[in-house]
């Protein structure tokens, strides 16, 4: 069960976190702010040329609507901290959303690699 709130999408969560990884949250950004969707990011920029997401608004907890047939400019990221040797990939996503007054829960295949395998 998802216990986090993500805008008016009631929830988004990763379902399997490997050992060596600690979940810190689910920030939400807008492509309009960051110019593009970010597929990866280090929250402590390594180089001056790295995009610093701390400069951009985090829209988590702020309502928004995705119109039928439209693509949202918002995207969620899972923020994690590596606390030790990573034992595998982060896998499985779950999304809760409302449509026409009904609530839906949808598992979505996803996988994020933090290790070298």
């Amino acid at each position: 069960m998802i216990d986090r709130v993500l805008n008016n999408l009631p929830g988004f969560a990763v379902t399997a976190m490997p050992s060596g990884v600690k979940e810190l949250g689910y920030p939400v950004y807008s492509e309009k702010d960051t110019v593009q969707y970010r597929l990866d990011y280090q929250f402590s920029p390594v180089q001056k040329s790295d995009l610093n997401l701390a400069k951009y608004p985090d829209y988590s907890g702020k309502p928004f609507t995705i119109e039928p047939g439209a693509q949202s400019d918002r995207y969620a990221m899972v923020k994690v901290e590596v606390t030790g040797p990573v034992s595998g990939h982060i896998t499985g996503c779950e999304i809760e959303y409302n449509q026409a007054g009904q609530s839906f829960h949808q598992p979505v295949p996803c996988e994020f690699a933090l290790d070298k395998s």
Side-chain angles (χ1 to χ4, degrees):
M1 177 162 204
I2 298 174
D3 61 357
R4 297 162 198 88
V5 174
L6 173 64
N7 303 316
N8 276 343
L9 298 171
F12 170 84
V14 170
T15 59
M17 196 69 64
S19 62
V21 179
K22 179 182 177 183
E23 174 189 305
L24 300 177
Y26 294 90
V28 176
Y29 297 103
S30 169
E31 180 195 18
K32 292 177 182 175
D33 298 330
T34 61
V35 183
Q36 60 188 3
Y37 291 106
R38 304 300 302 181
L39 297 177
D40 65 350
Y41 176 72
Q42 291 185 356
F43 280 88
S44 299
V46 176
Q47 301 173 11
K48 286 187 177 188
S49 61
D50 288 348
L51 175 67
N52 182 356
L53 288 178
K55 295 188 313 185
Y56 298 100
D58 176 358
Y59 294 98
S60 57
K62 296 181 176 105
F64 71 95
T65 301
I66 303 169
E67 296 297 328
Q71 180 174 332
S72 176
D73 67 302
R74 308 279 173 96
Y75 60 97
M77 298 180 77
V78 57
K79 185 175 182 179
V80 300
E81 177 182 357
V82 175
T83 59
V86 178
S87 64
H89 295 179
I90 299 169
T91 58
C93 293
E94 293 184 351
I95 300 171
E96 290 183 5
Y97 61 95
N98 298 316
Q99 184 174 356
Q102 291 187 315
S103 296
F104 295 91
H105 175 264
Q106 182 174 352
V108 179
C110 66
E111 184 172 0
F112 308 98
L114 296 176
D115 59 348
K116 294 183 180 186
S117 59

